Amino acid sequence: MLRPTLPVLLLLSACHTNTGHGTGDSAEAGTTDMSESTGETSQTSAPTTAPTSTDATTDTATTGDPAPVIELDAPCALGPTTATRLAILTNNLMDPASVHVLDLASNKLTPDIAPAPADSALAWGDGKLVIIGRFGFNSLDILDGDTWAAKPTLMVSVDGVADPNPQALAFGPDGRAHLTAFASAQLPVYDLDLPAAEAKVDALSLIDFADRDGSPEPGLAFTCGEALFVGVQRLVNFNPVDLSYLVAMNLGTGEPIDVDPSTPGEQAIALLGPWPKQARLDPADPSGHTILVLTSGIERVDLAHGTSSWAVDPTVLAAAGVDGFDPIGFSVAADATSIDLLATDGDYPAAAVFRVRLGEQAPSAHKLIPGLTARDKAIERVGELLWVGDAAPGTPRLRSFDLSEDPPVETDPIATPGDPYLLLAIP
């Protein structure tokens, strides 16, 4: 089913055959400053099928394997190595939103560590929990990761953009935070240890990847050492110009990394489906340079070689009744044998968790946990426990399932002060 709190931009997609992406078109009025989680819906999506943006050459001097197109100096930072807590954003889109923290050793919930804007996301990095105020709020609230002491609110501003609509923060090795803003091609860079008035220390540019409205509509962001990756949609009036991409940036130089120098213009990694919503490390790659990205299916992206392929084709999900923009969020088994997908199931916000087995000749999906109420990425896996936020009317709670049992066994739920909206595993 369609998700009524998603904007039109998330519900429009088309098949394209572009093999790469270069400099954007000239600027004109187009995409408005809407959040990825706010707005009305009217259409479903069709999966995009297109080749990736690179044709990696063969390193014949060594093993004959394709030569990397991006040199990565560290594993990608997509969640803690060992999670000890869950940050929980509660939000029913009507009552005041709030942030809470669950200690996973004791299952003790510390409620209301900070209020949150009505349209919010969470980020963790450099020992800080950050509440991102998105469409209409344009704010960063920085909390100390041990005491939850709050710094003064940092207001996000971008020259020439009335409502930047911040989406995600990615922290570099130096602790600096790189912010994506949906309505801007500029990526502000912050030192969050500085006073709010001095915190913006730099800005990177995605202008080479913008479409004709002047922004590439960036959202998802993460780092792999000195490389920053940003998911972009390239929309005009909420219609895709071509494909969604992962743009690579060199944090040392502040410049884009061209994944195909033989093609004119800066080139990015083309994705097979629209709207990169979430990324997780692929446990099958010990280097930490391969990720799984949720679009209309789940894509396996080899960042070093700039290629993407379906780990879970959208047709596999469609066979289980999950299609269009039903997918919400996912978690991955540590042995890389399965994915648990939170998705709309029937009329939004009705939801379920679907189990998808990986590594099979013909992967299949089936409903694992039915009867949930979920509006956003309220799913995390820590060890053998799957945590799901269930915003069931009158009984909002965190539910956990022991995945070492088959079928999974539910443990005691933990009541939450409001509707669980987002979960984020933190150290």
Side-chain angles (χ1 to χ4, degrees), residues 86 278 280 330-331 377-382 385-389 423-426:
L86 287 180
Q278 188 178 25
R280 303 278 194 183
F330 73 107
S331 67
K377 294 181 278 293
I379 183 169
E380 285 283 6
R381 178 169 178 160
V382 181
L385 278 182
L386 181 70
W387 292 90
V388 183
L423 301 184
L424 180 66
I426 60 177

Side-chain angles (χ1 to χ4, degrees), residues 24-402:
D25 301 315
S26 60
E28 72 175 29
T31 305
T32 57
D33 299 347
M34 289 188 67
S35 164
E36 293 184 356
S37 64
T38 306
E40 296 180 354
T41 62
S42 60
Q43 300 185 37
T44 56
S45 70
T48 300
T49 54
T52 59
S53 62
T54 62
D55 181 13
T57 58
T58 301
D59 186 0
T60 55
T62 55
T63 63
D65 294 331
V69 296
I70 302 175
E71 295 293 339
L72 300 174
D73 60 354
C76 298
L78 284 164
T81 303
T82 303
T84 64
R85 298 170 291 182
L86 287 180
I88 305 132
L89 174 66
T90 55
N91 188 6
N92 64 6
L93 308 179
M94 295 180 290
D95 298 320
S98 188
V99 178
H100 325 270
V101 174
L102 177 71
D103 181 89
L104 294 174
S106 64
N107 279 357
K108 178 183 178 182
L109 183 72
T110 302
D112 300 309
I113 64 167
D119 186 8
S120 298
L122 298 176
W124 174 272
D126 195 37
K128 302 172 182 68
L129 179 64
V130 183
I131 305 168
I132 303 171
R134 296 188 292 192
F135 177 61
F137 295 95
N138 302 299
S139 60
L140 300 177
D141 286 293
I142 301 104
L143 309 179
D144 182 274
D146 293 320
T147 67
W148 309 125
K151 298 186 68 174
T153 298
L154 191 161
M155 300 307 299
V156 174
S157 64
V158 176
D159 289 344
V161 181
D163 193 339
N165 191 0
Q167 295 293 310
L169 275 178
F171 289 79
D174 58 1
R176 291 185 172 187
H178 303 77
L179 180 70
T180 59
F182 187 75
S184 175
Q186 185 181 117
L187 298 177
V189 181
Y190 298 97
D191 183 338
L192 298 181
D193 290 322
L194 295 177
E198 305 170 17
K200 185 176 177 180
V201 294
D202 200 356
L204 306 181
S205 177
L206 295 173
I207 194 63
D208 287 338
F209 304 92
D211 48 67
R212 62 182 178 271
D213 65 15
S215 171
E217 290 73 42
L220 174 76
F222 59 93
T223 57
C224 309
E226 288 291 333
L228 168 69
F229 289 88
V230 178
V232 302
Q233 295 186 68
R234 286 178 46 82
L235 309 167
V236 171
N237 293 326
F238 304 118
N239 288 285
V241 172
D242 40 38
L243 304 178
S244 291
Y245 296 85
L246 287 178
V247 177
M249 305 284 291
N250 185 319
L251 294 182
T253 65
E255 297 297 323
I257 300 172
D258 189 349
V259 301
D260 185 8
S262 65
T263 298
E266 300 285 354
Q267 302 298 311
I269 302 172
L271 298 174
L272 304 175
W275 184 32
K277 295 177 274 294
Q278 188 178 25
R280 303 278 194 183
L281 284 173
D282 182 353
D285 178 7
S287 73
H289 295 161
T290 304
I291 62 169
L292 300 170
V293 179
L294 180 61
T295 58
S296 52
I298 297 176
E299 304 184 32
R300 178 174 284 111
V301 182
D302 181 337
L303 297 170
H305 292 94
T307 60
S308 184
S309 60
W310 288 118
V312 180
D313 190 283
T315 59
V316 174
L317 301 181
V322 177
D323 57 17
F325 289 96
D326 286 347
I328 299 172
F330 73 107
S331 67
V332 189
D335 61 3
T337 59
S338 64
I339 285 172
D340 293 318
L341 175 71
L342 179 64
T344 299
D345 185 30
D347 292 331
Y348 176 89
V353 173
F354 295 80
R355 169 64 58 84
V356 185
R357 296 287 183 185
L358 299 180
E360 298 178 357
Q361 190 170 8
S364 62
H366 68 275
K367 195 178 297 184
L368 185 70
I369 304 169
L372 302 170
T373 301
R375 294 182 175 88
D376 212 317
K377 294 181 278 293
I379 183 169
E380 285 283 6
R381 178 169 178 160
V382 181
E384 290 299 314
L385 278 182
L386 181 70
W387 292 90
V388 183
D390 189 353
T395 56
R397 62 203 188 275
L398 290 179
R399 299 173 65 180
S400 58
F401 300 84
D402 184 352

